[in-house]
Amino acid sequence: MKNGTSRKDLRIVQETINELIVYKPAGMACEKRVDNNRDSLLSLLADTFDTPIYLPHRLDGVTCGIVLTARSKEAVAYYNNEIAERRWKKYYIARVKWDGRLSADGLLGTHKAYLKRKGQKATVVRSGGAPSFLEVLAIGEIPGCADERHVLIKLLTGRYHQIRIMFRNLGLPLCGDPLYGVRGDTSPFYLEHAALGYVEMGTGKWTCILTPPDDLGEKVDSSLYERLKQEVLQILPGSSSE
């Protein structure tokens, strides 16, 4: 599979000797315990490139966006360590329910919760859970949807279902979320990993993969996307891993 081609809407964004950066569509699992149809991201890449592929991070099946995959055990160990040291910069866009009870000023900024996983769901607890942080950077209106908004999120920790459960706890569940949303809500679900900043293995240089606005899963307000670009530009100039 060459750059710019697709299989089931899976796009190779960037390819190096150490990693493949891919755009995963919503509805595709990153990996499966049993994958007889070979239709998970991991299986599709392994079959296409005829080489082992490793996942230092994953997206939920319902989430679309950028995934960095490693092409060797050395590469996945390197990126696992980068994630553990919280060097990755991860930006998401989500569509949330908006009833006006929480002001925009009240939503912007950093939010913290303690999360525990129970089976296939996460829950917010008062204590004993994993400290979880995210920052809301911008809010965008959605034409024709007065009770919904797009939000730009900087994910500061990578917990299980973190964005989905934390926004429900804020009273702003993601639209159409089958696990944490409003019962009976049939609006489209949208959560996208729209930008990823990381230090390349081998070069020690910061790079950032930013999904072009026309390639996003949903059309978002231009001011929200401009804020995303500003965040990306802060990562790149003159940065190094030292």
Side-chain angles (χ1 to χ4, degrees), residues 17-33:
I17 61 172
N18 293 311
E19 67 270 336
L20 293 167
I21 312 295
V22 302
Y23 185 94
K24 185 191 81 67
M28 178 185 288
C30 278
E31 63 179 332
K32 296 179 178 179
R33 290 184 180 178

Side-chain angles (χ1 to χ4, degrees), residues 1-3 5-15 18-25 28-31 35 37-57 65-71:
M1 185 185 297
K2 301 300 183 183
N3 289 13
T5 62
S6 65
R7 180 177 174 188
K8 291 187 176 180
D9 297 323
L10 175 66
R11 300 198 302 273
I12 304 300
V13 178
Q14 182 171 295
E15 178 180 353
N18 293 311
E19 67 270 336
L20 293 167
I21 312 295
V22 302
Y23 185 94
K24 185 191 81 67
M28 178 185 288
C30 278
E31 63 179 332
D35 194 4
N37 293 327
R38 305 294 291 174
D39 58 1
S40 69
L41 172 66
L42 196 63
S43 293
L44 286 170
L45 291 175
D47 291 349
T48 300
F49 289 90
D50 194 28
T51 184
I53 301 292
Y54 305 89
L55 295 174
H57 76 124
I66 297 163
V67 180
L68 185 152
T69 69
R71 307 184 77 171

